[in-house]
Amino acid sequence: MPIVQTKYTADPSPLVIGDTLFLYTSHDSSPDEIKDPNERSSAGFFMYDWLLWSTTDMANWTAHGAVASLTDFSWRTRDNGAWAIQTVKRNGKYYLYAPLHGHGIGVLVSDSPYGPFKDPLGEPLVWQREHWEDIDPTVYIDDDGQAYMYWGNPNTYWVMLNDDMISVKGEIHKLDYHLDHYQEGPWLYKRNGHYYLAYATTCCPEALGYAMSDSPKGPWKSKGYIMRPTNRDRGNHPGICDYKGHSYVFGQNYDVMHLETFVHHERRSVSATEITYNADGTIQEVPYWLDQQPLKQLQPLNPYRRVEAETMAWGYGLNIVGVGNTCITDVNDGEYIRVRGVDFGDKGAKSYAMTAAAKGATTVTLRLDSQDGPVVGVLTVKETGSVDRFRQFTTKVKGAAGLHDLYLCFDKASGDIRLDWWQFK
Protein backbone atom coordinates (compact mmCIF):
# COMPACT_ATOMS: atom_id res chain seq x y z
CA MET A 1 0.00 0.00 0.00
CA PRO A 2 1.08 3.64 -0.38
CA ILE A 3 3.60 4.95 2.11
CA VAL A 4 1.43 7.96 3.07
CA GLN A 5 -2.25 7.74 3.97
CA THR A 6 -2.95 10.96 5.88
CA LYS A 7 -2.82 13.09 2.71
CA TYR A 8 -3.25 12.40 -0.98
CA THR A 9 0.20 12.65 -2.56
CA ALA A 10 1.63 12.42 -6.07
CA ASP A 11 4.71 13.18 -8.19
CA PRO A 12 7.37 11.88 -5.75
CA SER A 13 10.74 13.63 -5.64
CA PRO A 14 13.25 11.86 -3.33
CA LEU A 15 16.35 13.66 -2.08
CA VAL A 16 18.99 11.93 0.07
CA ILE A 17 20.83 14.16 2.54
CA GLY A 18 23.15 12.33 4.91
CA ASP A 19 21.21 9.74 6.91
CA THR A 20 17.79 11.01 5.82
CA LEU A 21 15.69 10.50 2.73
CA PHE A 22 13.50 13.54 2.09
CA LEU A 23 10.48 13.02 -0.13
CA TYR A 24 8.83 16.05 -1.74
CA THR A 25 5.39 15.42 -3.22
CA SER A 26 2.60 17.27 -4.87
CA HIS A 27 -0.72 17.25 -3.02
CA ASP A 28 -4.10 16.22 -4.39
CA SER A 29 -6.75 17.87 -2.24
CA SER A 30 -9.24 15.72 -0.38
CA PRO A 31 -12.82 17.01 -0.70
CA ASP A 32 -12.68 19.13 2.47
CA GLU A 33 -9.44 20.78 1.27
CA ILE A 34 -10.88 21.97 -2.05
CA LYS A 35 -11.28 25.73 -1.79
CA ASP A 36 -14.47 26.02 -3.84
CA PRO A 37 -17.27 24.12 -2.03
CA ASN A 38 -19.06 23.69 -5.35
CA GLU A 39 -16.13 21.63 -6.66
CA ARG A 40 -15.78 19.17 -3.79
CA SER A 41 -17.40 16.31 -5.71
CA SER A 42 -15.43 17.03 -8.87
CA ALA A 43 -13.08 14.44 -10.35
CA GLY A 44 -10.31 16.80 -11.49
CA PHE A 45 -7.03 18.03 -10.05
CA PHE A 46 -7.10 20.47 -7.12
CA MET A 47 -3.47 21.11 -6.22
CA TYR A 48 -2.34 24.17 -4.27
CA ASP A 49 0.92 23.28 -2.48
CA TRP A 50 3.82 20.85 -2.12
CA LEU A 51 4.44 18.60 0.89
CA LEU A 52 7.53 17.14 2.55
CA TRP A 53 8.04 13.76 4.23
CA SER A 54 11.18 12.12 5.60
CA THR A 55 12.43 8.73 6.70
CA THR A 56 15.56 7.10 8.03
CA ASP A 57 14.32 3.50 7.77
CA MET A 58 12.04 3.34 4.65
CA ALA A 59 9.23 2.00 6.85
CA ASN A 60 8.13 4.94 9.00
CA TRP A 61 7.57 8.36 7.44
CA THR A 62 7.40 11.72 9.20
CA ALA A 63 5.20 14.50 7.84
CA HIS A 64 6.56 18.06 7.71
CA GLY A 65 3.58 19.78 6.14
CA ALA A 66 3.55 22.10 3.15
CA VAL A 67 7.00 23.52 2.36
CA ALA A 68 5.92 25.64 -0.63
CA SER A 69 2.79 26.65 -2.52
CA LEU A 70 1.61 28.47 -5.62
CA THR A 71 1.33 31.64 -3.54
CA ASP A 72 5.15 31.70 -3.29
CA PHE A 73 5.19 32.77 -6.94
CA SER A 74 3.82 36.32 -7.05
CA TRP A 75 3.74 36.30 -10.85
CA ARG A 76 1.52 33.25 -11.24
CA THR A 77 -2.12 33.81 -12.20
CA ARG A 78 -3.64 30.40 -11.47
CA ASP A 79 -4.68 29.27 -7.99
CA ASN A 80 -4.72 25.59 -8.98
CA GLY A 81 -2.02 23.49 -10.62
CA ALA A 82 0.80 22.79 -8.14
CA TRP A 83 2.13 19.96 -10.31
CA ALA A 84 5.29 17.85 -10.24
CA ILE A 85 8.40 19.40 -8.68
CA GLN A 86 11.96 18.33 -7.92
CA THR A 87 14.25 19.62 -5.18
CA VAL A 88 18.05 19.41 -5.39
CA LYS A 89 20.88 20.58 -3.13
CA ARG A 90 23.87 22.63 -4.20
CA ASN A 91 26.38 24.72 -2.21
CA GLY A 92 24.39 24.44 0.98
CA LYS A 93 21.12 25.62 -0.57
CA TYR A 94 18.03 23.76 -1.73
CA TYR A 95 16.46 24.54 -5.08
CA LEU A 96 12.84 23.58 -5.76
CA TYR A 97 11.84 23.59 -9.44
CA ALA A 98 8.11 23.90 -10.07
CA PRO A 99 5.86 24.08 -13.13
CA LEU A 100 3.38 26.96 -13.31
CA HIS A 101 1.27 25.60 -16.15
CA GLY A 102 0.92 28.15 -18.91
CA HIS A 103 3.57 30.36 -17.28
CA GLY A 104 6.71 28.25 -17.55
CA ILE A 105 8.89 26.78 -14.80
CA GLY A 106 9.83 28.65 -11.64
CA VAL A 107 12.43 28.05 -8.95
CA LEU A 108 12.36 28.54 -5.18
CA VAL A 109 15.40 28.56 -2.87
CA SER A 110 15.87 27.70 0.80
CA ASP A 111 18.72 27.28 3.27
CA SER A 112 17.03 24.16 4.64
CA PRO A 113 15.32 21.12 3.13
CA TYR A 114 12.37 21.96 5.38
CA GLY A 115 12.00 25.46 3.93
CA PRO A 116 10.86 28.16 3.95
CA PHE A 117 11.40 28.46 0.18
CA LYS A 118 11.53 31.89 -1.48
CA ASP A 119 11.37 33.00 -5.11
CA PRO A 120 14.75 34.61 -6.02
CA LEU A 121 13.71 35.70 -9.51
CA GLY A 122 10.18 37.04 -9.43
CA GLU A 123 9.69 35.56 -12.89
CA PRO A 124 9.93 32.17 -14.65
CA LEU A 125 13.28 30.43 -15.00
CA VAL A 126 12.03 28.98 -18.30
CA TRP A 127 8.94 29.98 -20.26
CA GLN A 128 8.33 28.87 -23.83
CA ARG A 129 5.39 31.15 -24.55
CA GLU A 130 4.50 29.44 -27.82
CA HIS A 131 3.07 26.39 -26.03
CA TRP A 132 2.00 24.96 -22.66
CA GLU A 133 4.49 22.09 -22.52
CA ASP A 134 6.66 23.49 -19.70
CA ILE A 135 5.76 20.95 -17.00
CA ASP A 136 7.41 18.37 -14.73
CA PRO A 137 10.99 19.68 -14.39
CA THR A 138 13.79 17.34 -13.30
CA VAL A 139 17.29 18.56 -12.44
CA TYR A 140 20.56 16.64 -12.16
CA ILE A 141 24.02 18.01 -11.30
CA ASP A 142 26.70 15.99 -13.09
CA ASP A 143 30.07 15.01 -11.64
CA ASP A 144 31.76 17.95 -13.37
CA GLY A 145 29.35 20.40 -11.69
CA GLN A 146 27.24 21.07 -14.77
CA ALA A 147 23.52 21.04 -14.01
CA TYR A 148 20.87 19.93 -16.50
CA MET A 149 17.11 20.38 -16.46
CA TYR A 150 14.69 18.23 -18.48
CA TRP A 151 10.91 18.69 -18.73
CA GLY A 152 7.95 18.44 -21.06
CA ASN A 153 4.66 16.92 -22.19
CA PRO A 154 4.23 15.62 -24.88
CA ASN A 155 7.70 16.63 -26.15
CA THR A 156 10.94 16.47 -24.19
CA TYR A 157 13.13 19.55 -23.63
CA TRP A 158 16.40 20.20 -21.83
CA VAL A 159 18.69 23.07 -20.94
CA MET A 160 21.89 23.55 -18.97
CA LEU A 161 21.79 25.63 -15.79
CA ASN A 162 24.46 28.00 -14.55
CA ASP A 163 26.25 27.36 -11.26
CA ASP A 164 23.80 29.68 -9.48
CA MET A 165 21.02 27.18 -10.35
CA ILE A 166 18.59 30.04 -11.04
CA SER A 167 19.63 30.94 -14.59
CA VAL A 168 20.06 29.01 -17.82
CA LYS A 169 23.21 28.51 -19.87
CA GLY A 170 22.69 28.52 -23.61
CA GLU A 171 19.58 27.64 -25.54
CA ILE A 172 16.70 25.27 -24.85
CA HIS A 173 16.95 21.99 -26.75
CA LYS A 174 14.05 19.84 -27.90
CA LEU A 175 14.65 16.15 -28.52
CA ASP A 176 14.13 15.63 -32.25
CA TYR A 177 12.99 12.07 -31.60
CA HIS A 178 10.28 10.67 -29.35
CA LEU A 179 11.18 8.30 -26.54
CA ASP A 180 9.08 5.13 -26.69
CA HIS A 181 5.61 5.90 -25.30
CA TYR A 182 6.94 9.00 -23.48
CA GLN A 183 4.18 10.99 -21.80
CA GLU A 184 5.60 13.30 -19.13
CA GLY A 185 7.30 13.33 -15.74
CA PRO A 186 10.97 12.83 -16.69
CA TRP A 187 13.46 11.95 -13.92
CA LEU A 188 17.13 12.46 -14.77
CA TYR A 189 19.95 10.78 -12.85
CA LYS A 190 23.29 9.00 -13.22
CA ARG A 191 24.43 5.70 -11.79
CA ASN A 192 27.67 3.77 -12.37
CA GLY A 193 28.53 5.78 -15.47
CA HIS A 194 25.10 5.40 -17.09
CA TYR A 195 22.67 8.29 -17.51
CA TYR A 196 18.99 7.51 -17.01
CA LEU A 197 15.83 9.31 -17.99
CA ALA A 198 12.83 7.65 -16.36
CA TYR A 199 9.36 8.89 -17.23
CA ALA A 200 5.63 8.25 -17.22
CA THR A 201 5.02 6.09 -20.26
CA THR A 202 2.06 4.79 -22.24
CA CYS A 203 -1.38 6.22 -21.55
CA CYS A 204 -3.83 5.48 -20.29
CA PRO A 205 -3.17 3.73 -17.94
CA GLU A 206 0.35 5.08 -17.53
CA ALA A 207 3.36 2.96 -16.67
CA LEU A 208 6.95 3.70 -15.66
CA GLY A 209 9.47 3.57 -18.50
CA TYR A 210 13.08 4.65 -18.91
CA ALA A 211 15.82 5.40 -21.40
CA MET A 212 19.62 5.31 -21.09
CA SER A 213 22.50 7.30 -22.56
CA ASP A 214 26.24 7.84 -22.29
CA SER A 215 25.69 11.58 -21.99
CA PRO A 216 23.25 13.83 -20.09
CA LYS A 217 22.53 15.44 -23.47
CA GLY A 218 21.59 12.13 -25.11
CA PRO A 219 21.00 10.56 -27.52
CA TRP A 220 18.62 8.46 -25.42
CA LYS A 221 17.70 4.86 -26.12
CA SER A 222 14.43 3.60 -24.68
CA LYS A 223 14.86 0.48 -22.55
CA GLY A 224 11.27 -0.52 -21.83
CA TYR A 225 9.34 -0.65 -18.59
CA ILE A 226 10.26 -0.35 -14.94
CA MET A 227 6.60 -1.07 -14.18
CA ARG A 228 4.13 -2.09 -16.87
CA PRO A 229 0.72 -0.47 -17.31
CA THR A 230 -2.22 -2.02 -15.51
CA ASN A 231 -5.92 -1.28 -15.40
CA ARG A 232 -5.60 -1.03 -11.61
CA ASP A 233 -3.90 2.34 -12.08
CA ARG A 234 -4.41 5.39 -14.27
CA GLY A 235 -1.34 7.59 -13.84
CA ASN A 236 2.24 7.11 -12.68
CA HIS A 237 5.28 9.31 -12.13
CA PRO A 238 8.84 8.15 -11.29
CA GLY A 239 11.33 9.34 -8.70
CA ILE A 240 14.45 7.21 -8.30
CA CYS A 241 17.33 7.21 -5.81
CA ASP A 242 19.92 5.10 -4.00
CA TYR A 243 19.72 5.11 -0.21
CA LYS A 244 21.72 3.18 2.38
CA GLY A 245 22.88 0.60 -0.15
CA HIS A 246 19.47 0.06 -1.74
CA SER A 247 17.89 1.41 -4.93
CA TYR A 248 14.30 2.62 -4.94
CA VAL A 249 11.70 3.75 -7.42
CA PHE A 250 8.81 5.88 -6.23
CA GLY A 251 5.57 6.24 -8.13
CA GLN A 252 1.89 6.88 -7.61
CA ASN A 253 -1.49 5.16 -7.69
CA TYR A 254 -5.07 5.47 -6.46
CA ASP A 255 -4.97 2.66 -3.91
CA VAL A 256 -5.76 4.77 -0.81
CA MET A 257 -8.71 6.37 -2.58
CA HIS A 258 -9.87 2.88 -3.58
CA LEU A 259 -10.34 2.07 0.10
CA GLU A 260 -13.35 4.41 -0.11
CA THR A 261 -14.44 4.44 -3.75
CA PHE A 262 -13.64 3.18 -7.22
CA VAL A 263 -15.44 6.17 -8.75
CA HIS A 264 -12.52 7.99 -10.34
CA HIS A 265 -11.19 11.19 -8.78
CA GLU A 266 -7.70 12.64 -9.06
CA ARG A 267 -6.68 11.65 -5.54
CA ARG A 268 -3.39 9.84 -5.84
CA SER A 269 -0.96 8.30 -3.36
CA VAL A 270 2.79 7.67 -3.49
CA SER A 271 4.25 4.17 -3.25
CA ALA A 272 7.82 2.88 -3.43
CA THR A 273 9.69 -0.35 -4.03
CA GLU A 274 13.25 -1.57 -4.41
CA ILE A 275 14.66 -1.97 -7.88
CA THR A 276 17.57 -4.09 -9.13
CA TYR A 277 20.06 -3.16 -11.85
CA ASN A 278 21.48 -5.74 -14.23
CA ALA A 279 25.21 -5.90 -15.04
CA ASP A 280 24.69 -3.75 -18.16
CA GLY A 281 22.86 -1.07 -16.13
CA THR A 282 19.36 -1.93 -17.29
CA ILE A 283 16.62 -2.09 -14.66
CA GLN A 284 14.69 -5.24 -13.84
CA GLU A 285 10.93 -4.82 -14.13
CA VAL A 286 8.92 -4.74 -10.93
CA PRO A 287 5.27 -5.77 -10.52
CA TYR A 288 2.44 -3.42 -9.63
CA TRP A 289 2.63 -1.91 -6.14
CA LEU A 290 -0.08 -4.10 -4.61
CA ASP A 291 1.68 -7.26 -5.84
CA GLN A 292 4.81 -6.53 -3.80
CA GLN A 293 5.90 -7.07 -0.24
CA PRO A 294 6.19 -4.03 2.07
CA LEU A 295 9.49 -2.18 1.94
CA LYS A 296 12.19 -3.71 4.12
CA GLN A 297 12.84 -1.67 7.23
CA LEU A 298 16.48 -0.59 7.20
CA GLN A 299 16.90 0.00 10.93
CA PRO A 300 14.70 -0.24 14.04
CA LEU A 301 13.02 2.81 15.53
CA ASN A 302 14.27 4.03 18.90
CA PRO A 303 11.25 4.74 21.16
CA TYR A 304 13.40 6.29 23.90
CA ARG A 305 13.89 9.51 21.96
CA ARG A 306 11.28 12.06 20.95
CA VAL A 307 9.15 10.58 18.17
CA GLU A 308 6.84 12.89 16.27
CA ALA A 309 3.25 11.65 16.39
CA GLU A 310 3.10 12.08 12.62
CA THR A 311 5.82 9.42 12.22
CA MET A 312 4.13 6.26 11.05
CA ALA A 313 3.93 3.37 8.64
CA TRP A 314 0.12 3.51 8.56
CA GLY A 315 -2.46 6.04 9.74
CA TYR A 316 -5.46 5.83 7.43
CA GLY A 317 -8.34 8.09 8.50
CA LEU A 318 -6.12 10.51 10.41
CA ASN A 319 -4.99 13.91 9.16
CA ILE A 320 -1.97 16.19 9.46
CA VAL A 321 -2.17 19.89 10.34
CA GLY A 322 0.49 22.55 10.67
CA VAL A 323 3.61 23.60 8.84
CA GLY A 324 6.99 22.77 10.34
CA ASN A 325 5.57 21.75 13.74
CA THR A 326 2.96 19.36 12.38
CA CYS A 327 0.45 17.40 14.47
CA ILE A 328 -1.96 14.51 14.09
CA THR A 329 -5.61 15.53 14.06
CA ASP A 330 -9.02 14.22 12.94
CA VAL A 331 -8.83 11.44 15.53
CA ASN A 332 -11.83 9.07 15.58
CA ASP A 333 -12.75 5.84 17.33
CA GLY A 334 -11.28 2.75 15.72
CA GLU A 335 -8.41 4.57 14.01
CA TYR A 336 -4.79 3.87 14.85
CA ILE A 337 -1.18 4.75 14.12
CA ARG A 338 1.10 1.86 13.24
CA VAL A 339 4.83 2.35 13.82
CA ARG A 340 6.94 -0.44 12.38
CA GLY A 341 9.95 -2.08 13.99
CA VAL A 342 10.14 -0.40 17.40
CA ASP A 343 13.07 -1.69 19.49
CA PHE A 344 12.21 -1.56 23.19
CA GLY A 345 15.37 -3.42 24.15
CA ASP A 346 15.77 -6.37 26.52
CA LYS A 347 14.81 -4.48 29.68
CA GLY A 348 11.77 -2.89 28.11
CA ALA A 349 9.90 0.35 28.73
CA LYS A 350 8.39 1.45 32.04
CA SER A 351 6.40 4.52 31.02
CA TYR A 352 4.99 6.39 28.03
CA ALA A 353 4.46 10.10 27.54
CA MET A 354 2.54 11.94 24.83
CA THR A 355 2.38 15.69 24.27
CA ALA A 356 -1.04 16.76 23.02
CA ALA A 357 -3.61 19.55 22.98
CA ALA A 358 -7.35 19.01 22.98
CA LYS A 359 -10.74 20.63 23.00
CA GLY A 360 -12.06 17.20 23.84
CA ALA A 361 -10.45 13.89 24.83
CA THR A 362 -9.42 10.44 23.64
CA THR A 363 -8.06 7.19 24.98
CA VAL A 364 -4.85 5.85 23.45
CA THR A 365 -4.33 2.12 23.92
CA LEU A 366 -0.77 0.95 23.25
CA ARG A 367 -0.69 -2.48 21.57
CA LEU A 368 2.05 -4.65 20.12
CA ASP A 369 2.16 -6.19 16.63
CA SER A 370 -1.49 -5.70 15.64
CA GLN A 371 -4.58 -3.59 16.23
CA ASP A 372 -5.79 -6.36 18.55
CA GLY A 373 -2.39 -7.26 19.97
CA PRO A 374 -1.28 -7.32 23.63
CA VAL A 375 -1.98 -4.11 25.57
CA VAL A 376 1.12 -2.62 27.21
CA GLY A 377 -0.38 0.67 28.35
CA VAL A 378 -3.43 2.93 28.22
CA LEU A 379 -3.18 6.72 28.14
CA THR A 380 -5.96 9.30 28.31
CA VAL A 381 -5.58 12.64 26.55
CA LYS A 382 -7.75 15.13 28.40
CA GLU A 383 -9.07 18.62 27.70
CA THR A 384 -6.32 21.25 27.70
CA GLY A 385 -8.56 24.26 27.00
CA SER A 386 -7.26 24.96 23.49
CA VAL A 387 -5.82 23.11 20.49
CA ASP A 388 -2.83 25.44 20.85
CA ARG A 389 -2.23 24.62 24.52
CA PHE A 390 -0.08 21.49 24.68
CA ARG A 391 0.65 19.48 27.80
CA GLN A 392 2.23 16.12 28.52
CA PHE A 393 0.20 13.05 29.47
CA THR A 394 1.85 9.94 30.92
CA THR A 395 1.02 6.33 31.75
CA LYS A 396 2.80 3.28 33.07
CA VAL A 397 3.86 0.58 30.60
CA LYS A 398 4.27 -3.16 31.14
CA GLY A 399 5.32 -5.87 28.70
CA ALA A 400 6.95 -3.63 26.07
CA ALA A 401 10.29 -5.33 25.46
CA GLY A 402 12.08 -6.55 22.35
CA LEU A 403 11.34 -5.64 18.73
CA HIS A 404 7.68 -5.04 17.84
CA ASP A 405 5.35 -3.01 15.71
CA LEU A 406 3.62 -0.44 17.92
CA TYR A 407 -0.05 0.41 17.48
CA LEU A 408 -1.52 3.58 19.00
CA CYS A 409 -5.25 2.75 18.98
CA PHE A 410 -7.81 5.50 19.55
CA ASP A 411 -11.11 5.15 21.40
CA LYS A 412 -13.62 7.40 23.19
CA ALA A 413 -12.55 10.29 20.96
CA SER A 414 -14.42 13.57 21.13
CA GLY A 415 -13.79 17.14 20.00
CA ASP A 416 -10.65 18.48 18.35
CA ILE A 417 -7.43 16.70 19.31
CA ARG A 418 -3.83 17.49 18.30
CA LEU A 419 -1.12 14.89 18.95
CA ASP A 420 2.40 16.33 18.84
CA TRP A 421 5.03 13.78 19.96
CA TRP A 422 5.61 10.79 22.22
CA GLN A 423 8.40 8.98 24.01
CA PHE A 424 8.94 5.82 26.11
CA LYS A 425 11.13 5.63 29.18
Side-chain angles (χ1 to χ4, degrees), residues 105-182:
I105 294 171
V107 58
L108 302 175
V109 184
S110 175
D111 294 326
S112 166
Y114 304 100
F117 285 86
K118 303 294 183 182
D119 181 2
L121 299 177
E123 62 183 5
L125 170 64
V126 166
W127 186 7
Q128 299 176 95
R129 289 171 172 81
E130 66 274 18
H131 57 68
W132 283 42
E133 298 178 8
D134 296 339
I135 69 166
D136 296 358
T138 178
V139 173
Y140 172 71
I141 305 169
D142 207 354
D143 299 335
D144 62 2
Q146 180 59 59
Y148 298 84
M149 182 170 72
Y150 275 71
W151 70 91
N153 173 341
N155 295 299
T156 312
Y157 303 86
W158 66 271
V159 73
M160 292 188 293
L161 301 179
N162 287 311
D163 292 347
D164 63 9
M165 302 297 285
I166 59 172
S167 61
V168 300
K169 178 190 295 185
E171 63 181 9
I172 294 173
H173 304 267
K174 175 184 174 182
L175 295 191
D176 57 5
Y177 51 92
H178 195 78
L179 299 169
D180 288 355
H181 305 297
Y182 174 89

Side-chain angles (χ1 to χ4, degrees), residues 8 11 24 40 62 82 84 94 132 135 143 159 176 219 236 240 246-248 272 284 297 309 319 327 331 400:
Y8 288 114
D11 307 320
Y24 297 84
R40 290 179 178 171
T62 302
Y94 297 83
W132 283 42
I135 69 166
D143 299 335
V159 73
D176 57 5
N236 222 326
I240 298 175
H246 301 259
S247 297
Y248 298 96
Q284 296 181 13
Q297 187 167 358
N319 199 359
C327 299
V331 176

Side-chain angles (χ1 to χ4, degrees), residues 180-199:
D180 288 355
H181 305 297
Y182 174 89
Q183 296 294 316
E184 61 183 15
W187 182 267
L188 177 65
Y189 69 104
K190 182 181 181 181
R191 188 179 188 276
N192 292 343
H194 300 289
Y195 293 90
Y196 295 82
L197 194 65
Y199 48 87

Side-chain angles (χ1 to χ4, degrees), residues 3 12-16 20-21 23 55-59 61 187 189 191 198 208 226-227 237-251 270-277 283-284 286 289 292-299 340:
I3 59 178
S13 169
L15 173 64
V16 176
T20 302
L21 190 155
L23 183 67
T55 187
T56 56
D57 62 14
M58 293 302 294
W61 296 82
W187 182 267
Y189 69 104
R191 188 179 188 276
L208 299 179
I226 300 173
M227 180 181 290
H237 186 108
I240 298 175
C241 69
D242 286 354
Y243 179 59
K244 294 186 175 180
H246 301 259
S247 297
Y248 298 96
V249 60
F250 294 78
V270 167
S271 288
T273 190
E274 282 199 58
I275 53 175
T276 300
Y277 292 87
I283 302 172
Q284 296 181 13
V286 295
W289 312 108
Q292 302 181 44
Q293 295 298 312
L295 286 167
K296 178 182 177 182
Q297 187 167 358
L298 301 183
Q299 63 189 48
R340 280 179 58 190

